[in-house]
Amino acid sequence: MSAKDAFYITTPIYYVNDVPHIGHAYTTLACDVMARFKRLDGYDVMFLTGTDEHGQKVEKSAAAAGKTPLEFCDQVSQRFRELADFMNYSHDDFIRTTEERHKIACQALWKKLEENGHIYLDKYAGWYSVRDEAFYGENELIEVEGSEKLAPTGAPVEWVEEESYFFRLSAFEDKLLDFYESLDPTVLPKSRKNEVKSFVEGGLRDLSVSRTSFKWGVPVPGNDKHIMYVWIDALTNYMTAAGYPDMESSTFQKFWPADIHMVGKDILRFHAVYWPAFLMGAGIEPAKRVFAHGWWTNEGQKISKSLGNVIDPFQIVDEFGLDQVRYFLMREVPFGNDGDFNKQAIINRINSDLANDLGNLAQRSLSMIFKNCDGVMPTPGDNTEADNAILSALDGLLPKVRDHMDVQAFNKALETIWKVVSDANGYFACEEPWALKKTDPERMGTVLYTTAEIIRQIGIITQPIMPDSASKLIDLLKVPASERGFDKLGADHRLASGTKMEKPEGVFPRYVAENE
Ligand code: ME8
């Protein structure tokens, strides 16, 4: 048997200056869905998440909390781990940038860049935003009343003048532009790729990559007065986890370059411009794709601590259910676009797509098997045209869903699956198996068997989105654990007739508000 293909996917590493909210949960969820999908589709997957613990912003937050930076990081990083468990993410590694393995990787990358002549010492005089941990040119700033200057993101900026190492970013314009066209699509959605290209075409200035005014970070090798710019440090995490600097290790050989760096649109430039340039500078292949998704608002408002409308994923899941929230986040908004987090929209998805469409179909058909077929999966008779039509739509589902997943179009993948669910409901209603009990029990058996086969395949293919609920659906059919991979989808595999079943329990309850 040939070795499995590798797939490496990463989330941003989250700053520990803030507790996790729905935005963080969303990005990691998208990666989890991709990772689970690829594993079921036969890939050897590495899925990485973690926390970004260095830099001035974290140092300031720790001081404000009256803690040492490390105590503060330990505490908040733990909250991100808890979120990961709570959301049922299947990450293979959780990296913290305060780990020794990461310091080693950062310093090795730095030395390589220096050795290759891409880093030089000079003086930085310009604007810096601690909140964004980013340098801004004068021409990028917004003037507000009272003559205060703000970053384009609205964050405050301060004037910084200090000795600094620089990375020769300006030398990488052509290489980056070639890279964007080398593999398609290196940056998704397409509009984001255009944004990145025009930024690079506008000309790149060398980038200040060290600071001397604070201490909380990785020291520059050979000059520990300087701390590495937090973004060089942060971005390197993706290689640390793959085993860098040991580029001969089997992990690095297998998983680098990463397949997808999943990020929010706020940090696109760091991932699609600076990071590939650093890697090119070190003679290392850049990741194959950066996907920059959109922004969630809360009932139409920007989510922010100061507005007090931050959505707590722990709370939302307690209210609506884990798989329900996972489904909603992946289904509601075309991945890449901004979306509005609206409770009525979640309730509609739960009651319509999950409880009515999929839940009822499973509950009605499997209850009928339990009651009318002595709890044993019936043996189908000859198929009619109607049976063949629904089965052929079902059997053709995986390649279509895979095409959508290949470009992270989660909502389209789910739409495609639910089209079959909807057709299956039409089939069930039309065939009226309840009326066949007396008139044609064999035909009833065929319709119930066909519907159960639909539930089997829909259960298997929705595992990445709703791992627990999809497993419960397949459990009802007594499908063994070894037969739940995507290689068991399609016409070559069918439910075993004669299997003894138990009384089915509903998997997708309706959402009923407490005061109803
Ligand atoms: O930027 N909607 O960390 P961060 C959707 N440490 N996604 C959101 C969101 C929202 N309203 N708010 C946050 C950093 N996100 C750096 C990354 S990577 C080498 C270093 C998500 O804690 C989204 O993925 O500020 C965004 O890019 C990320 O959280 C920012 O997390």
Side-chain angles (χ1 to χ4, degrees):
M1 207 179 99
S2 65
K4 286 183 181 179
D5 284 335
F7 181 78
Y8 180 21
I9 186 161
T10 67
T11 74
I13 46 171
Y14 303 109
Y15 284 130
V16 288
N17 63 311
D18 204 358
V19 292
H21 66 65
I22 199 74
H24 309 122
Y26 180 58
T27 318
T28 314
L29 173 62
C31 292
D32 183 55
V33 170
M34 261 335 281
R36 288 177 182 273
F37 189 91
K38 287 288 188 180
R39 285 191 203 104
L40 287 163
D41 211 12
Y43 286 73
D44 199 349
V45 170
M46 178 152 97
F47 164 22
L48 174 71
T49 187
T51 42
D52 188 356
E53 307 191 359
H54 286 141
Q56 211 171 348
K57 177 153 75 171
V58 172
E59 194 180 65
K60 284 189 172 177
S61 299
K67 294 197 156 59
T68 67
L70 192 58
E71 277 167 3
F72 180 74
C73 291
D74 286 347
Q75 185 189 332
V76 190
S77 178
Q78 184 54 27
R79 199 64 184 145
F80 277 95
R81 268 185 207 266
E82 284 161 15
L83 178 73
D85 292 340
F86 183 77
M87 294 295 293
N88 200 4
Y89 299 143
S90 61
H91 51 290
D92 300 290
D93 195 352
F94 186 104
I95 192 166
R96 297 183 56 183
T97 52
T98 43
E99 290 173 52
E100 189 59 19
R101 60 171 172 162
H102 182 63
K103 182 175 162 192
I104 294 170
C106 289
Q107 293 189 329
L109 180 65
W110 182 284
K111 281 193 206 142
K112 192 81 206 158
L113 291 173
E114 214 168 24
E115 223 173 271
N116 292 354
H118 298 303
I119 285 185
Y120 61 93
L121 190 60
D122 202 342
K123 192 167 173 202
Y124 180 77
W127 296 100
Y128 191 74
S129 158
V130 176
R131 194 169 96 192
D132 296 347
E133 295 283 18
F135 299 95
Y136 291 107
E138 183 78 41
N139 57 349
E140 291 179 279
L141 301 182
I142 319 166
E143 294 269 358
V144 283
E145 274 192 29
S147 82
E148 194 192 349
K149 288 174 194 290
L150 292 179
T153 56
V157 288
E158 58 194 53
W159 183 257
V160 169
E161 263 188 56
E162 59 190 44
E163 184 185 82
S164 172
Y165 284 95
F166 282 79
F167 171 72
R168 273 185 222 286
L169 184 62
S170 57
F172 289 87
E173 281 172 24
D174 292 342
K175 288 195 186 92
L176 284 167
L177 291 171
D178 288 347
F179 170 66
Y180 300 138
E181 300 308 331
S182 66
L183 286 162
D184 209 30
T186 41
V187 180
L188 277 177
K190 222 175 162 184
S191 56
R192 300 281 169 217
K193 176 170 160 179
N194 295 337
E195 188 183 313
V196 166
K197 273 173 64 180
S198 51
F199 174 72
V200 175
E201 279 160 358
L204 296 174
R205 281 176 297 143
D206 289 353
L207 185 70
S208 164
V209 285
S210 75
R211 304 287 312 275
T212 53
S213 50
F214 69 99
K215 280 277 147 233
W216 185 237
V218 179
V220 164
N223 187 354
D224 59 13
K225 204 172 83 192
H226 286 255
I227 296 296
M228 282 184 204
Y229 175 38
V230 67
W231 272 100
I232 273 219
D233 167 342
L235 290 160
T236 305
N237 93 86
Y238 303 131
M239 284 216 298
T240 306
Y244 187 79
D246 185 359
M247 293 173 71
E248 298 310 314
S249 72
S250 56
T251 312
F252 195 88
Q253 289 283 322
K254 180 158 201 174
F255 290 107
W256 197 264
D259 292 84
I260 303 179
H261 291 321
M262 192 76 88
V263 297
K265 63 181 181 181
D266 53 328
I267 53 176
L268 173 64
R269 192 183 291 181
F270 298 99
H271 284 80
V273 181
Y274 302 165
W275 181 227
F278 295 153
L279 289 169
M280 287 171 183
I284 300 171
E285 249 185 285
K288 294 175 204 159
R289 178 177 302 167
V290 175
F291 194 113
H293 66 66
W295 220 235
W296 282 96
T297 51
N298 184 0
E299 312 275 346
Q301 274 191 320
K302 186 176 183 322
I303 297 175
S304 88
K305 251 207 244 178
S306 51
L307 287 173
N309 65 349
V310 172
I311 301 169
D312 176 0
F314 291 97
Q315 215 177 346
I316 289 293
V317 166
D318 282 342
E319 185 170 356
F320 295 103
L322 175 58
D323 283 344
Q324 283 74 2
V325 169
R326 288 178 59 114
Y327 175 83
F328 169 78
L329 290 174
M330 292 291 98
R331 174 66 186 83
E332 189 66 9
V333 176
F335 198 64
N337 293 6
D338 292 341
D340 187 40
F341 200 88
N342 164 301
K343 286 198 177 179
Q344 193 52 50
I346 306 190
I347 295 171
N348 294 347
R349 288 284 171 203
I350 293 176
N351 287 346
S352 153
D353 302 14
L354 298 179
N356 274 357
D357 295 351
L358 182 55
N360 270 351
L361 180 69
Q363 192 57 16
R364 287 173 73 199
S365 55
L366 302 185
S367 297
M368 278 193 73
I369 296 180
F370 187 74
K371 280 199 211 122
N372 300 336
C373 310
D374 298 326
V376 169
M377 185 59 65
T379 305
D382 291 339
N383 279 355
T384 62
E385 254 178 54
D387 304 331
N388 287 334
I390 188 74
L391 285 172
S392 112
L394 183 71
D395 294 335
L397 200 48
L398 180 62
K400 289 189 193 153
V401 171
R402 197 186 270 137
D403 283 351
H404 292 311
M405 293 296 286
D406 278 347
V407 287
Q408 290 72 59
F410 303 108
N411 64 309
K412 287 200 182 142
L414 284 171
E415 254 172 48
T416 308
I417 298 171
W418 254 256
K419 168 79 174 73
V420 174
V421 173
S422 155
D423 289 351
N425 272 301
Y427 164 82
F428 195 75
C430 214
E431 295 299 322
E432 301 184 325
W434 52 90
L436 292 167
K437 187 178 176 205
K438 290 215 172 81
T439 55
D440 190 348
E442 187 187 313
R443 177 70 198 142
M444 176 191 75
T446 309
V447 173
L448 293 179
Y449 176 88
T450 306
T451 311
E453 171 61 17
I454 295 166
I455 306 295
R456 181 186 76 90
Q457 293 205 37
I458 299 294
I460 290 179
I461 208 165
T462 52
Q463 291 174 98
I465 305 277
M466 317 182 284
D468 287 344
S469 312
S471 302
K472 279 189 197 151
L473 265 188
I474 327 172
D475 287 346
L476 295 176
L477 299 165
K478 302 276 175 211
V479 173
S482 59
E483 292 183 14
R484 297 178 177 202
F486 289 171
D487 56 334
K488 300 293 185 283
L489 291 172
D492 294 341
H493 295 271
R494 290 287 185 235
L495 267 172
S497 297
T499 309
K500 182 86 186 132
M501 291 161 57
E502 279 147 41
K503 187 164 192 259
E505 297 271 344
V507 175
F508 295 105
R510 283 182 70 75
Y511 177 87
V512 183
E514 265 170 19
N515 55 1
E516 264 181 39

